[in-house]
Every structure is written in C-alpha cells, then in structure tokens.
C-alpha cells in the first residue's frame, strides 16, 4: 500500500509539472505564441486529464490507508470518503486543487490571456503540494518559511522539467529556425528555475534533512542524495543541450531533451518518496563513514596555514579542470595541470577529516537542562570520578594503577568531539592500543538518558572551569532563590 501511494503521488506530480511546463513554455520561449500554444495544447490537455485522474485515484488510495481498508474493500472506502474530503487538510487541499484544474481546463482554447490565466491556476495547483507535505505539517514561522520555499521550489521545478517534453514537441512542429530559437530561449526558464531550486533546497535541507549528519545518516537524507544526484545529471544534460547540441541543431537535440525530461520525472518520483519518509532532522542519524568533516583543525595555528594553502591550490586545480572542459584548444594541458594540482593539494586537506562513529551526529535529547546536568553530576561522581578525578582532570584515585592514563576531560580537544562521539565511547568503551578496552563501556550499567546526562555534566563542568559560567550549584540555588523571593 505505501508503494501504491508513493507511485500515485509521483505520477500525479509528474502530470502537474507537465501541465505547468506546457502552459509556461509557449509564453516564455516562442515568438509566434499562437502556433506554439496550438502545438502543445494536446499535451497540456492530456496532462490536465492525467492530473485529475491521478488526483482522484490518490484520494481513494489515501482514504483506504487512513481507514486501513483492505484493497478492494470499496464499501469501507466509500463510507470514509466524505469525511476525508470534508474534514482532513489533505482532502481540502486536493479539492482546492481539483477546482483550480477544472477552472483551467476550458481556458486552453481561448487565446493568450486565457492561456496565461490557466498557467497561473496550474502553478497554484502545483504549489498547493507545499501544504500537504512536511512543510505543511511544520507549524509556526518555520512552517511558513518552509511552505513558501517549497511552493517556489515546486513552481520552478514544474516550469523547467514540465517544459521539456513540450519543447521536444516544438522541435518537430516549428520551422527549424524558430525551433532552435525556442531551445535557446529555454534558458530563460531553465536558469532562474535552477537558481530558485538550489536556494530553496538549501532552506529545505537545513530544516528537514538535519545537516550533513542527516544527509548521509538517515533514510530521508539518502533519498535526498539520490535526488541531488539526479539533479546534477539533469544540469549536465541541460548544459550539453544548450552549449553543444543547440549549436549542431540535429535530431540529437530532441533525443537529449527527451532524456532530460525522463530524468526530470525520476526527480519528481524521488521528491514524492521524500514526502513519505520521516525527515532526517527528526531521527537520530547513523553516520555510515569512519571519518567525518570537521573544521576544528582550522583553530590550530600550526595546521591552519597548510589547510588554507591546500584549499587555495585545490580551487586553482578545479578551475583549471573546468577551464579545460570549456575551452577546447587548451583542453589537454589545462586538464593535465589541473588534475596534477588537485592530486598534490588534496592530501593537505586531510586534517579536515576526523575519526567518526555511527553516533557522531546524535543530538542529546536532554535539551541541556539544569536537571539533566545535576543528574549527570551525581552519575559522574559515582562512575567516572574514580578514574577521571572529581574535576575531570584525569587524576582520580584509580588513575595511577591503569595501564593507559585516563583522559583529562577538561582538555581543549574534548570540545572538538561531538556529543554523539562521547556517547559512543560511554556506550562501547574505548579500545586500548594493546587490545581489550582501556576504558570500560557503560551500556549495561547506565541507561541512555544517564549517559546523555553525564555528557551534559562534562560540558557544563568545562564551561565552568573555563569561567564561562559560574559553578552549577550557585546557578541553581541562585535561580531557585530568585523564584522564592
Ligand atoms: C576504569 C577507569 C575509568 C572509568 C571508570 C571511566 N573512564 Fe573514561 N577513560 C579512562 C581511560 C583510561 C581513558 C583513555 C582511553 C584511551 O585513550 O585509550 C578514558 C577516556 C575517556 C574519554 C575520551 C576522551 C577523549 O577525547 O579521548 C571520555 C569522554 C571519558 N573517558 C569519559 C568517561 C565518563 C563520562 C566516565 C563515567 C561514566 C568514564 N569515562 C569512566 C578510564 C576510565
């Protein structure tokens, strides 16, 4: 059932994008708009019909999912349908979209003004998707910002990707000079669309994916990666079309634009899949690599110079490669010099990668609350102080008898370790170079919450020792005193 829902949602998005693209294309790229409109009208009609049909099917499938009906249990679905349509946000949005589509339908044969009106209605119908997905579910000002950016994202994607198939059609119908001019002018849609897509994706990515940890560590993030990969392939084909094939003006252009359209449909399906996944920012991401990026090394004066010079040479190398790709005559020397420069410079960036663990990007669920810090202090006193010392300086009573001395937990390097990494060591212990564990793990003796509480205490203790905050006890009694007064 989830697969059917995903499929219908994807197909519906493809129809809507195709409708929007077919309506926008003649307005934006064809000088003889009349002929162009006539040429893409059948495609627009078919897309609109497809959008209405998939909308109704999606509504039925979603209703079945809402009431947990078995496939084919039409009675149960029919009974639930009116409530879904009238009482759920999903139902309201779909009905609004249906109304917009049905208003646009008769406008397709009535001249330029009506056509423009239909394009606006199609854009609104598509943008409504932002109201149903994760953005629609997020409340508050973040929710509003997300919805606005998703709506823009959808319109840009629809106008660009949906315009590709109609553009192929124009290649066959228009006189060759006009067809080529249209393909060239498609950049008027493509370039702004790509810029909007990237900018809005950054907003979405930050809030929904949960940064680099969520991108690689959650199912949502990995679907997003697939989408990003497809998007990069799309841009590559678009550049090929615009700078190579348009100039040659052969049948290759239509084939290539057609391939771009297919890839575009794949991107829309990936987007539909994302709408069904739990956002990466809402789950604890499991980091899949042994290393992770970290800017901590930039704070070390001895490393900073090397890294910055390495980065500058990497940038030069990349520039040389790009120039080599773009400029035919200097191609091979530039590619050679660029590759060698990259090859030599890249190792100097190595300090930007640090050891990582599956839990590296876990975020403490405690919210760093005073209660959690206080609890952590008690646990620390009982479980950690014997080795690490009361203040964490590595000088507890048991320290002298250990083969590997306990780490000074107040040392500067600890600040560069993520909470999730401390959590990993507390859970699994720390491997000793001689084999076995140099520090025991606490998976059995401390609950997860207790382990997070101890981490909160270590952070608070270090802030206190660094003079950033007054002693914990004083803060707490001070705050309490204030309340009592
Ligand atoms: C039996 C003694 C012992 C106890 C008990 C102990 N540790 Fe350790 N701890 C060590 C030793 C030894 C190391 C150094 C391991 C190494 O470097 O191989 C260490 C390392 C660490 C590190 C790694 C710091 C870094 O950046 O390398 C952290 C964090 C830490 N301990 C926290 C704790 C906390 C929190 C507790 C209490 C829940 C605790 N330890 C209990 C012995 C102990």
């Amino acid at each position: 059932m989830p697969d059917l829902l995903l499929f219908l949602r994807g197909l519906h998005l493809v129809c809507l994008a195709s409708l929007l693209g077919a309506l926008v294309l003649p307005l934006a790229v064809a000088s003889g708009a009349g002929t162009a409109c006539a040429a893409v009208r059948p495609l627009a009609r078919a897309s609109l019909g497809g959008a209405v049909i998939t909308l109704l099917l999606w509504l039925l499938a979603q209703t079945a999912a809402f009431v947990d009906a078995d496939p084919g249990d039409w009675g149960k679905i029919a009974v639930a349908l009116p409530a879904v349509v009238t009482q759920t946000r999903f139902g309201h949005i779909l009905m609004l979209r249906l109304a917009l589509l049905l208003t646009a339908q008769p406008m397709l044969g009535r001249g330029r003004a009506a056509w423009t009106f239909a394009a606006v209605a199609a854009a609104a119908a598509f943008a409504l998707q932002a109201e149903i997905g994760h953005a629609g579910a997020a409340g508050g000002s973040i929710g509003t910002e997300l919805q606005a950016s998703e709506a823009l994202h959808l319109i840009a994607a629809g106008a660009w990707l949906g315009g590709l198939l109609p553009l192929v059609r124009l290649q066959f119908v228009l006189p060759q000079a006009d067809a080529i001019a249209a393909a060239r002018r498609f950049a008027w849609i493509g370039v702004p669309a790509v810029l909007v897509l990237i900018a809005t994706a950054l907003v979405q990515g930050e809030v929904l994916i949960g940064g680099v940890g969520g991108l690689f560590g959650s199912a949502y993030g990995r679907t997003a990666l697939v989408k990003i990969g497809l998007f990069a392939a799309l841009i590559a084909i678009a550049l090929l079309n615009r700078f190579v094939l348009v100039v040659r003006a052969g049948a290759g252009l239509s084939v290539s634009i057609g391939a771009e359209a297919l890839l575009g449909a794949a991107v829309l399906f990936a987007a539909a899949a994302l709408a069904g996944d739990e956002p990466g920012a809402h789950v604890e991401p499991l980091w899949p690599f042994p290393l992770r990026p970290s800017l901590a090394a930039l704070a070390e004066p001895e490393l900073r110079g090397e890294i910055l010079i390495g980065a500058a040479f990497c940038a030069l190398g990349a520039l040389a490669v790009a120039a080599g790709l773009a400029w035919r005559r200097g191609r091979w020397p530039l590619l050679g010099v660029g590759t060698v420069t990259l090859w030599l410079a890249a190792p100097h960036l190595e300090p930007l990668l640090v050891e990582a663990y599956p839990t590296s990007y876990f975020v403490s669920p405690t919210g760093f609350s005073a209660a959690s810090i206080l609890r952590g202090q008690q646990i620390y006193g009982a479980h950690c102080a014997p080795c690490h010392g009361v203040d964490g300086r590595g000088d507890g009573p048991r320290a002298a008898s250990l083969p590997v001395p306990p780490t000074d937990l107040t040392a500067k390097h600890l600040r560069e370790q993520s909470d999730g990494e401390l959590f990993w060591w507390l859970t699994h212990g720390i491997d000793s170079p001689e084999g076995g564990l140099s520090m025991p793990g606490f998976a059995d003796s401390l609950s997860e919450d207790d382990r997070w509480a101890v981490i909160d205490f270590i952070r608070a203790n270090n802030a206190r020792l660094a003079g950033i905050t007054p002693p914990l006890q004083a803060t707490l009694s001070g705050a309490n005193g204030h309340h009592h007064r």
Side-chain angles (χ1 to χ4, degrees), residues 216-410:
F216 292 100
S218 68
Y220 188 85
R222 282 186 292 267
T223 313
L225 276 177
V226 171
K227 202 180 153 195
I228 293 169
L230 291 171
F231 180 72
L234 266 178
I235 304 250
I237 301 190
L239 290 174
L240 179 77
N241 291 344
R242 178 64 186 78
F243 290 107
V244 182
L245 296 179
V246 161
V247 182
R248 297 199 192 143
L253 180 61
S254 302
V255 173
S256 182
I257 301 178
E260 197 184 341
L262 266 183
L263 260 182
V267 172
L268 289 176
F269 270 94
L274 274 180
D277 275 344
E278 170 135 31
H282 302 173
V283 297
E284 293 283 26
L286 281 178
W287 184 250
F289 307 119
L291 297 170
R292 69 172 170 93
S294 160
L295 294 180
L298 280 179
E300 316 265 339
E302 1 22 304
L303 290 176
R304 192 184 303 143
E306 180 187 340
I307 295 173
L308 291 181
I309 293 174
F313 274 96
C314 278
L316 280 179
L319 262 181
V321 169
L325 289 177
W327 183 43
R328 195 177 305 180
R329 261 200 278 158
R331 180 159 301 165
W332 297 112
L334 279 170
L335 283 183
V337 170
T339 318
V340 171
T341 312
L342 276 174
W343 182 269
L344 293 177
H348 295 280
L349 297 183
E350 213 180 285
L352 294 179
L353 290 176
V354 299
E355 210 176 320
Y357 305 91
T359 61
S360 281
Y361 287 92
F362 274 29
V363 176
S364 170
T366 61
F368 204 59
S369 68
S372 166
I373 298 171
L374 206 58
R375 178 144 133 230
Q377 184 176 35
Q378 287 156 5
I379 299 166
Y380 182 89
H383 288 90
C384 322
C387 292
H388 287 284
V390 185
D391 267 344
R393 296 196 194 275
D395 54 359
R398 287 183 60 189
S401 62
L402 295 173
V404 181
T407 311
D408 177 356
L409 297 181
T410 67

Side-chain angles (χ1 to χ4, degrees), residues 383-384 387-388 404 407 413-414 417 426 430 438-439 442 454:
H383 288 90
C384 322
C387 292
H388 287 284
V404 181
T407 311
H413 83 266
L414 207 78
Q417 240 80 64
L426 286 187
I430 297 176
S438 53
M439 175 174 116
F442 295 87
V454 149

Side-chain angles (χ1 to χ4, degrees), residues 7 28 48 72 88 105 118 148 157 166 182 191 201 205 209 217 224 246 295 358 375 383 398 402 428 452 454 464 479:
F7 175 74
L48 201 153
T88 68
Q105 208 284 333
V191 172
I209 297 178
V246 161
L295 294 180
R375 178 144 133 230
H383 288 90
R398 287 183 60 189
L402 295 173
H428 300 281
W452 285 118
V454 149
R464 175 180 68 86

Side-chain angles (χ1 to χ4, degrees), residues 385-466:
C387 292
H388 287 284
V390 185
D391 267 344
R393 296 196 194 275
D395 54 359
R398 287 183 60 189
S401 62
L402 295 173
V404 181
T407 311
D408 177 356
L409 297 181
T410 67
K412 198 172 126 244
H413 83 266
L414 207 78
R415 268 182 259 153
E416 287 144 22
Q417 240 80 64
S418 72
D419 287 352
E421 277 153 5
L422 300 186
F423 185 79
W424 179 265
W425 290 322
L426 286 187
T427 305
H428 300 281
I430 297 176
D431 291 327
S432 159
E434 281 93 52
L437 292 175
S438 53
M439 175 174 116
F442 295 87
D444 299 329
S445 44
L446 294 176
S447 71
E448 285 194 12
D449 284 350
D450 285 351
R451 277 171 263 155
W452 285 118
V454 149
I455 291 167
D456 282 350
F457 167 70
I458 294 176
R459 298 294 192 208
N461 188 49
N462 284 346
R464 175 180 68 86
L465 291 177

